[in-house]
Amino acid sequence: MGRTQARGRSGRRRGAPDTRGEILAAARAEFGERGYDGATMRGIARAAAVDPALVHHYFGTKEKLFLAAMEIPFDPVIISERIADTTSTMGIGERAIRTFLGVWGDPVGRAPILAMLRSAMRHEAAATLLRQFITRVVLGRVLVAFESMPDGALRAEAMVSHLVGLAIVRYVVKLEPIASVSDEELIALVAPVLQRYFDGGLPPSPG
Amino acid sequence: MGRTQARGRSGRRRGAPDTRGEILAAARAEFGERGYDGATMRGIARAAAVDPALVHHYFGTKEKLFLAAMEIPFDPVIISERIADTTSTMGIGERAIRTFLGVWGDPVGRAPILAMLRSAMRHEAAATLLRQFITRVVLGRVLVAFESMPDGALRAEAMVSHLVGLAIVRYVVKLEPIASVSDEELIALVAPVLQRYFDGGLPPSPG
């Protein structure tokens, strides 16, 4: 940012320091305007006036470009795989809240999510963007754990909604005592409750 | 608003149409600056340059003045009493989500809460205001139902956090299918889960 733009001898832009920044700025604008589903790597390249190959070279996929543009400092793939972990269907409630507190407990981790949420509460377009991001990038992967059960998507979203509310009440509104209890205390209380969305009407497992 | 200010023959302000508006504007400023706990009827009267008796005359209590200033179109007393209803400890999960969907399902009902939440996500002072409002006006009354159990406040707040998250995911982010299912479908799924916060480690009641 702020540096003089380097160009190749051909006059075409190369990977100069601020080309990356220009792509990111174009990506933010395109995602904001067209939503996650509507924005394309090609369209973002056009808006940044660079070759699409350069966008792929820098960012690989639309998802990675989105994460970079929104400055999201964690990888939703790792997060969702940690929650979904199909090798064990037991304890998804605890896995979900543990992973979630790991991200939200870190001010750097929650800042960009809060920013997206704040925008979503003001602008319909930002709500669309957040909805599509959660659906495609996060929920799509968590749903594999729920796909065999009736209302799996609804149950997964109910679980997500609880986690979102918990984050707002604990880290933003800071109600006491929920803002001050330890992660472990909160996990002990919330995990078995979340687990019910997964276990359906079955009696909860002990502990 | 916008009308010429009426004054009594003494030159002192009386209950002219915009005196009420001036008190409300002063109240918003005082609550915003000092929080719910810090603002006083006397201080608001001073800021509006009216006699404190006039503030009491128009609004009765600080709580009612706050609700009017924030344009909250429902009565938290009725809401919390409906949820707490100590004559029956059964089904507090269902009572909570039913009451909550009744408020949030109405765009007029949720607009001021969303506005407060949005501010809380941007400004520490607004977060303090919202926290104190929830604690004094809403939770204080719901807690009577939880007061006999260990971690009662924590459990009540966990329940509230789920409802807040549900509202955001259903009405703001509009994830599908949770945004489109009927209230009854959502109540059937969420009520027994919320109920666990009340029933503690006991096996959930059937249905």
Side-chain angles (χ1 to χ4, degrees):
Chain A
M1 292 209 295
R3 297 201 209 164
T4 308
Q5 197 168 292
R7 283 168 191 272
R9 259 176 295 185
S10 68
R12 268 190 69 188
R13 290 180 190 185
R14 284 196 318 203
D18 68 347
T19 300
R20 195 173 177 280
E22 279 169 30
I23 295 170
L24 289 173
R28 273 188 291 273
E30 290 284 303
F31 282 122
E33 197 177 315
R34 299 175 201 277
Y36 185 82
D37 294 353
T40 63
M41 296 288 265
R42 185 165 292 277
I44 290 164
R46 199 182 309 120
V50 300
D51 194 282
L54 203 56
V55 180
H56 283 281
H57 167 74
Y58 272 122
F59 299 100
T61 62
K62 180 162 92 171
E63 181 176 320
K64 290 204 176 108
L65 173 54
F66 180 82
L67 297 176
M70 297 300 161
E71 298 178 352
I72 291 173
F74 54 86
D75 186 342
V77 179
I78 294 170
I79 299 289
S80 354
E81 281 173 356
R82 207 177 289 162
I83 296 173
D85 188 6
T86 46
T87 62
S88 155
T89 56
M90 292 292 288
I92 194 175
E94 182 170 343
R95 289 201 308 276
I97 184 165
R98 257 187 210 291
T99 307
F100 202 81
L101 290 179
V103 171
W104 278 84
D106 174 11
V108 175
R110 69 175 174 262
I113 320 178
L114 272 177
M116 287 179 71
L117 202 49
R118 213 152 44 205
S119 297
M121 290 167 81
R122 296 162 67 92
H123 310 292
E124 190 59 43
T128 301
L129 179 60
L130 182 58
R131 173 171 65 251
Q132 292 174 346
F133 167 67
I134 295 176
T135 305
R136 304 281 170 251
V137 180
V138 184
L139 267 179
R141 293 184 179 103
V142 174
L143 276 177
V144 295
F146 283 83
E147 69 191 352
S148 64
M149 59 181 64
D151 295 326
L154 187 61
R155 286 164 181 273
E157 289 175 7
M159 191 183 263
V160 165
S161 80
H162 192 163
L163 292 169
V164 167
L166 204 59
I168 289 174
V169 164
R170 180 169 165 85
Y171 301 114
V172 179
V173 182
K174 297 181 189 137
L175 279 187
E176 290 299 348
I178 212 169
S180 298
V181 294
S182 68
D183 280 5
E184 290 307 319
E185 217 169 327
L186 201 57
I187 289 165
L189 179 67
V190 175
V193 173
L194 286 178
Q195 187 68 31
R196 264 199 69 106
Y197 282 125
F198 194 74
D199 293 339
L202 301 171
S205 52
Chain B
M1 293 206 293
R3 297 201 211 166
T4 308
Q5 197 170 289
R7 283 168 190 270
R9 260 175 295 186
S10 67
R12 265 192 72 190
R13 291 179 189 185
R14 284 197 317 203
D18 67 347
T19 299
R20 196 173 177 278
E22 280 169 30
I23 295 170
L24 289 173
R28 273 188 291 273
E30 290 283 302
F31 282 123
E33 197 177 314
R34 300 175 200 277
Y36 186 82
D37 294 353
T40 63
M41 296 289 266
R42 185 165 292 276
I44 290 164
R46 200 181 310 120
V50 300
D51 193 283
L54 203 56
V55 180
H56 283 280
H57 167 74
Y58 272 123
F59 300 101
T61 62
K62 180 162 91 170
E63 181 175 322
K64 290 203 177 110
L65 173 54
F66 180 83
L67 298 176
M70 298 300 162
E71 298 179 351
I72 292 173
F74 53 85
D75 185 343
V77 178
I78 293 169
I79 299 288
S80 349
E81 281 172 357
R82 208 177 287 161
I83 296 172
D85 189 6
T86 46
T87 62
S88 154
T89 55
M90 292 293 287
I92 193 173
E94 181 170 344
R95 288 200 309 275
I97 185 165
R98 257 187 210 291
T99 307
F100 201 80
L101 290 179
V103 171
W104 279 83
D106 174 11
V108 175
R110 69 174 174 263
I113 320 178
L114 272 177
M116 288 179 72
L117 202 49
R118 212 152 44 204
S119 296
M121 290 168 82
R122 297 162 65 93
H123 310 292
E124 190 58 44
T128 301
L129 179 61
L130 182 57
R131 174 171 63 250
Q132 292 175 346
F133 167 67
I134 295 176
T135 305
R136 306 280 171 253
V137 180
V138 184
L139 268 180
R141 293 184 178 103
V142 174
L143 275 177
V144 296
F146 283 83
E147 69 192 353
S148 63
M149 59 181 64
D151 295 325
L154 188 61
R155 286 164 181 273
E157 289 175 8
M159 192 183 261
V160 165
S161 80
H162 192 164
L163 292 170
V164 168
L166 204 60
I168 290 174
V169 163
R170 180 168 165 87
Y171 300 113
V172 179
V173 182
K174 296 181 190 137
L175 279 187
E176 290 298 350
I178 212 169
S180 296
V181 294
S182 68
D183 280 4
E184 290 306 320
E185 219 170 325
L186 201 56
I187 290 166
L189 179 68
V190 175
V193 173
L194 286 179
Q195 187 67 33
R196 264 199 68 107
Y197 281 124
F198 194 74
D199 294 339
L202 302 169
S205 53

